[in-house]
Amino acid sequence: MAHLQDIQLIEYCNGQLSTAARSEVDAHLAECELCAEKLRQTRLTWEVLGGWEAGAGKVDLASRVLERVEAEQADTSDAGPFRVQDWVWPVAKLAACVGLAAVIGHAAGLAVRSAPQVMTVDAADPQQAANELYLDIITDNDPTGLVSVILPPETTDTPDFPDATEASEEEV
């Protein structure tokens, strides 16, 4: 027979084995020193456990838990449906995120911003200035007619002043 299991030893100590099973265990215990020692330790354990008195503990845990729950309910009943503690932390996190996003956006804008371009055209030539400012894509043919508002109209008329060469020919 194999070594006895702990449950068999417990049932042997309590007298719960049948007569056939009890005789098999007795025969094995007579031959096996290891199982006989385990039986001695099991009996000793049961004797010690049997000597303990099952009484109430020194700490009444149930009443302490109930007192704590009642105290928490009393604290929250005065605060109303919305307590400051419930919304302060989420609002603070949201404000920190918005501030961080603003700082990152500002830093990114500074990093990407290019230097202002200097116009290379003569300020007296409005058409060339319009071309450099990319206003030449908006023409008078455009339904908005923005160029006529922004730029002075182009004139092909000659000035009223007589040319210096024409005056010298008339005098001669």
Side-chain angles (χ1 to χ4, degrees):
M1 176 177 191
H3 289 293
L4 297 173
Q5 296 178 354
D6 291 337
I7 189 69
Q8 289 174 315
L9 293 174
I10 293 171
E11 289 173 349
Y12 182 82
C13 288
N14 291 336
Q16 295 175 340
L17 291 177
S18 65
T19 51
R22 187 170 181 86
S23 62
E24 285 181 23
V25 170
D26 284 335
H28 180 78
L29 289 172
E31 295 176 4
C32 183
E33 291 284 328
L34 181 64
C35 289
E37 178 61 25
K38 282 178 72 176
L39 177 63
R40 189 185 69 73
Q41 290 176 358
T42 303
R43 282 184 176 157
L44 182 62
T45 303
W46 279 101
E47 286 175 19
V48 170
L49 287 175
W52 282 359
E53 291 183 25
K58 293 181 180 179
V59 177
D60 187 15
L61 187 61
S63 64
R64 290 177 67 184
V65 169
L66 289 175
E67 288 173 7
R68 181 69 184 252
V69 168
E70 289 171 359
E72 289 288 328
Q73 288 176 348
D75 289 345
T76 59
S77 64
D78 296 338
F82 299 107
R83 296 185 325 173
V84 172
Q85 298 89 346
D86 293 339
W87 60 269
V88 167
W89 186 241
V91 169
K93 287 194 291 188
L94 177 66
C97 289
V98 168
L100 183 62
V103 168
I104 290 173
H106 179 69
L110 290 176
V112 174
R113 181 174 46 179
S114 61
Q117 290 186 339
V118 178
M119 289 183 48
T120 59
V121 298
D122 184 17
D125 186 9
Q127 189 61 42
Q128 194 173 0
N131 291 347
E132 190 148 329
L133 293 173
Y134 302 106
L135 294 176
D136 56 336
I137 60 171
I138 305 174
T139 62
D140 285 331
N141 297 337
D142 190 33
T144 59
L146 289 176
V147 171
S148 61
V149 174
I150 297 171
L151 297 176
E154 292 184 24
T155 58
T156 55
D157 299 336
T158 58
D160 293 336
F161 303 110
D163 196 13
T165 55
E166 292 176 10
S168 60
E169 290 177 5
E170 291 177 5
E171 293 176 2
V172 180

